[in-house]
Amino acid sequence: MRLGVLDVGSNTVHLLVVDAHRGGHPTPMSSTKATLRLSENIDDDGDITVRGADRLVETTREFASIAQTSGCGELMAFATSAVRDARNSQAVLDRVNAEAGVKLDVLSGVDEARLTFLAVRRWYGWSAGRILDLDIGGGSLELTYGGDEDPEVAYSLQLGAGRLTRDWFLDDPPGKRRISALRDWLDAELAGPTKDIRGAGDPDLCVGTSKTFRTLARLTGAAPSSAGIRVRRTLTASGLRQLIAFISRMTTADRAELEGVSADRSQQLVAGALVAEAAMRALGVETLEICPWALREGLILRKLDTEMGGELVVAAR
């Protein structure tokens, strides 16, 4: 079957079209992205602005049309942190449904973490043993650990790269004192969850998922995306520390000139790197394997697993 997956994130809206069947490897057919920066279209009351909602409706309508033209038998559409946390999320969801003809399901943070973990498990297989996964989005950080397909421990924390950039960095580049303060604050925020995860046991494999980790790995010497998804890529704690010392002195415009850094991600790259550094430090991780599969693939895999027994159910807000 041909499936469309519409992912409404804090920074981008992403449509992935895949050919997939139960027990098989989902094959990507096309990928379409639009930068909406929904997380930056939140007013002082915590509502998504009219402009942000307008752009979301327009983009969703356009991407639904692309999915139909691409021959998708079904469009699975979901939203994460930016819509989930907005005070007027239901009103925005109703607009998207009425005006774009698409029902957006809102994934809870824990659902997001669990589906990402499923994708990681399927990518590496049972021989990987117990897996620890870190995933940094625009609005949240997901931490999961376990030996099966469903993690034993799953956390979703409001420590996304975009959120921290807005809350902490007013100057470009950010000042040294502000970076130091954010490091201390992150250590305190992560102390409880990471203690819980470390208490569950030692992982056999430590993994990083998400665009942020792929970018950080690329900037520390990993192969470019053109080398293919099956090339092994890693991110080391020492390499990350050196990278932070380098990019934290650069302006957003300068970071956008670095190979492997997209213009829409350059602003939040420093905050994303600091979150990655803090999480790896708190969890005692020296090296992360970078997994090419994450939330979208997890959603597809869960759909394929359950299609014979009913519809996919996700937790809506």
Side-chain angles (χ1 to χ4, degrees):
M1 70 174 70
R2 180 160 292 182
L3 296 172
V5 182
L6 183 64
D7 174 1
V8 177
S10 297
N11 295 306
T12 61
V13 176
H14 187 170
L15 172 66
L16 179 65
V17 175
V18 300
D19 281 343
H21 62 274
R22 193 172 186 180
H25 188 290
T27 303
M29 302 305 294
S30 67
S31 177
T32 309
K33 297 180 183 179
T35 301
L36 261 63
R37 296 188 185 277
L38 274 181
S39 60
E40 296 179 11
N41 284 272
I42 304 291
D43 64 22
D44 293 339
D45 294 324
D47 291 334
I48 294 176
T49 63
V50 173
R51 178 177 180 273
D54 287 345
R55 292 189 65 200
L56 176 58
V57 169
E58 179 183 351
T59 303
T60 302
R61 183 189 296 118
E62 178 187 354
F63 281 18
S65 177
I66 293 173
Q68 184 177 23
T69 303
S70 300
C72 293
E74 183 173 351
L75 178 65
M76 297 182 292
F78 67 94
T80 55
S81 178
V83 175
R84 180 171 67 230
D85 296 339
R87 192 182 68 163
N88 64 336
S89 63
Q90 191 57 56
V92 172
L93 294 171
D94 290 343
R95 273 200 64 189
V96 172
N97 195 4
E99 299 176 34
V102 174
K103 182 180 182 299
L104 278 177
D105 286 313
V106 179
L107 293 180
S108 72
V110 172
D111 278 334
E112 193 175 339
R114 292 185 180 280
L115 286 166
T116 301
F117 188 86
L118 171 63
V120 172
R121 168 59 71 190
R122 293 287 178 89
W123 181 265
Y124 289 106
W126 295 111
S127 63
R130 305 182 75 80
I131 293 176
L132 169 65
D133 181 59
L134 289 67
D135 186 283
I136 301 172
S140 61
L141 163 71
E142 277 69 51
L143 304 173
T144 46
Y145 169 85
D148 294 321
E149 291 194 336
D150 193 40
E152 298 166 24
V153 186
Y155 278 97
S156 180
L157 309 172
Q158 293 191 330
L159 302 177
R163 186 190 301 274
L164 296 183
T165 299
R166 293 191 307 275
D167 292 348
W168 284 83
F169 294 156
L170 301 178
D171 298 325
D172 185 23
K176 291 182 179 179
R177 289 184 180 180
R178 200 62 175 163
I179 289 174
S180 178
L182 177 54
R183 274 189 165 119
D184 291 341
W185 183 81
L186 285 169
D187 287 344
E189 291 294 306
L190 287 165
T194 55
K195 181 180 179 181
D196 189 19
I197 293 172
R198 296 188 74 166
D202 295 330
D204 299 299
L205 178 68
C206 299
V207 179
T209 47
S210 72
K211 177 66 172 179
T212 294
F213 275 117
R214 292 196 299 273
T215 300
L216 294 174
R218 178 71 187 101
L219 290 173
T220 56
S225 57
S226 59
I229 66 172
R230 290 179 174 80
V231 174
R232 183 180 180 231
R233 296 172 174 87
T234 62
L235 175 67
T236 65
S238 60
L240 181 57
R241 287 191 295 270
Q242 293 175 20
L243 177 64
I244 291 172
F246 176 60
I247 62 174
S248 63
R249 297 194 297 266
M250 303 173 72
T251 64
T252 296
D254 288 338
R255 290 193 295 271
E257 297 297 321
L258 297 173
E259 185 178 357
V261 178
S262 59
D264 61 311
R265 297 277 178 171
S266 60
Q267 183 181 14
Q268 63 187 46
L269 185 61
V270 174
L274 290 169
V275 174
E277 177 198 37
M280 291 175 71
R281 181 171 59 247
L283 291 163
V285 175
E286 288 299 320
T287 302
L288 286 174
E289 298 281 337
I290 305 302
C291 181
W293 279 6
L295 176 57
R296 286 183 290 273
E297 288 78 13
L299 191 68
I300 293 167
L301 293 166
R302 181 58 52 81
K303 171 65 178 176
L304 295 175
D305 287 348
T306 59
E307 66 172 346
M308 302 302 291
E311 292 300 315
L312 172 70
V313 177
V314 295
R317 182 177 174 183

